[in-house]
Amino acid sequence: MTSPQQVSMPYYKATGREKEVFEHAFRNKLPVLLKGPTGTGKSRFVEHMAHALNRPLITVSCHEETSSTDLIGRFIIKGAATEWLDGPLTVAARQGAILYLDEIAEPRPDVIVAIHSLTDHRRTLFIDKLGQTWQAHDDFMLVASFNPGYQRGFKELKASTRQRFVALSFQYPEPKVEAEILCNETGVAQDVALKLVHIGNKIRNLKELGLTETASTRLLVDAAKLIHTGLPKRLSVRVAIVEPLSDDPEIVGALADLCDLMI
Ligand code: ADP
């Protein structure tokens, strides 16, 4: 759990009215769903908002094995006795933290069931193993992310689940704004940042390669960091942008050739 007092405000460049929406959702005790491809700043936005609202942030990176027990808690054996250990959802609901469920379409269906009563007017958490129902702290907030992924292999989120959230869409920012993010995050020169953004946009438009993920802001930031510390530009782009996107040697080769011309 990150305590807001311990770190300085995480840098987040707003691209619309998302900060305002989030603040109002918090005030109205409404859960928020952040929709958008990976690496578009969703996690950074939540870190920034938790800091701005002075709430602790608890992040759970969901995967297909994540279960309601992982979120709510479990009995553990301590010596000869068993002891109850709160899971992150229970801790957040009790303490008034922001719980960020990253990739909410991934976990087992019982996770969605577990959060139901917390996402509506009841704001209660039922802990079946203890036979207890808890009222969430006034400042508790649930935030989830979802990658709608128009490509193959992405999981869907049920309409009934989506409707429990206020939803915000995240996309790759305008080139000028994305270059500004790169400069701020890494200290790289503006002309280099603009070239990296140009590469990013070129790859994003190459639909025919069938990449499951594309060149996200995160990958561009990584390349910018390597360049800023002195790694040659072409090598930086290759290892930070091209190689992470595909394992197919032909695709890697084609992308590398393309990028070499652009940096
Ligand atoms: P997501 O959660 O959508 O996968 P992240 O929040 O982890 O993406 O963003 C990846 C990286 O991209 C961040 O660590 C940050 O460096 C950068 N980034 C993306 N968008 C922004 C933004 N709007 N403001 C600041 N940094 C951003």
Side-chain angles (χ1 to χ4, degrees):
M1 180 159 56
T2 42
S3 166
Q5 288 79 25
Q6 287 165 2
V7 284
S8 56
M9 174 77 93
Y11 166 71
Y12 175 74
K13 170 83 185 162
T15 54
R17 299 180 72 175
E18 63 271 35
K19 290 190 193 181
E20 202 182 332
V21 170
F22 195 99
E23 275 167 19
H24 280 269
F26 177 73
R27 266 200 257 159
N28 286 289
K29 304 189 187 340
L30 293 171
V32 172
L33 181 66
L34 310 179
K35 303 189 293 178
T38 183
T40 42
K42 300 184 293 298
S43 308
R44 179 62 67 84
F45 173 59
V46 183
E47 287 163 24
H48 177 89
M49 292 312 298
H51 197 280
L53 294 167
N54 200 28
R55 300 314 312 153
L57 173 65
I58 301 176
T59 298
V60 177
S61 300
C62 300
H63 51 82
E64 42 192 36
E65 292 305 316
T66 307
S67 68
S68 61
T69 304
D70 296 326
L71 291 188
I72 293 175
R74 49 168 52 90
F75 283 105
I76 53 163
I77 298 169
K78 250 197 170 171
T82 55
E83 203 176 275
W84 174 257
L85 188 69
D86 279 346
L89 178 64
T90 310
V91 172
R94 284 196 216 270
Q95 297 186 352
I98 294 177
L99 182 79
Y100 180 42
L101 293 180
D102 198 6
E103 300 290 356
I104 198 184
E106 289 293 326
R108 295 195 200 166
D110 66 347
V111 165
I112 303 296
V113 177
I115 61 172
H116 259 195
S117 57
L118 276 171
T119 52
D120 57 33
H121 63 282
R122 291 172 287 175
R123 286 176 56 89
T124 53
L125 173 64
F126 176 58
I127 308 181
D128 59 343
K129 292 193 174 102
L130 297 177
Q132 293 175 356
T133 300
W134 281 80
Q135 189 66 44
H137 187 290
D138 251 7
D139 291 338
F140 166 73
M141 183 180 191
L142 184 71
V143 182
S145 78
F146 169 57
N147 183 347
Y150 308 102
Q151 308 95 329
R152 290 163 283 131
F154 282 88
K155 291 193 183 168
E156 264 309 320
L157 192 60
K158 275 204 213 157
S160 57
T161 305
R162 287 157 176 276
Q163 292 199 8
R164 296 181 163 269
F165 294 85
V166 165
L168 279 168
S169 270
F170 281 68
Q171 286 305 329
Y172 300 112
E174 295 284 297
K176 246 179 75 185
V177 175
E178 195 167 27
E180 185 186 327
I181 293 171
L182 261 53
C183 293
N184 250 292
E185 284 285 284
T186 70
V188 80
Q190 200 195 13
D191 61 322
V192 178
L194 280 167
K195 281 183 185 165
L196 289 170
V197 169
H198 195 43
I199 287 176
N201 282 319
K202 189 88 188 169
I203 296 176
R204 287 167 197 163
N205 289 326
L206 291 174
K207 307 277 184 242
E208 61 277 12
L209 291 186
L211 299 170
T212 43
E213 293 280 353
T214 190
S216 68
T217 307
R218 176 184 294 122
L219 297 193
L220 305 188
V221 166
D222 290 348
K225 280 181 179 163
L226 298 177
I227 292 172
H228 187 58
T229 55
L231 197 69
K233 288 184 197 140
R234 287 185 175 178
L235 179 58
S236 301
V237 168
R238 169 121 195 180
V239 297
I241 301 177
V242 174
E243 294 282 355
L245 285 178
S246 176
D247 298 319
D248 178 332
E250 270 184 35
I251 294 180
V252 168
L255 284 177
D257 289 346
L258 177 76
C259 294
D260 283 355
L261 295 172
M262 297 177 71
I263 191 79

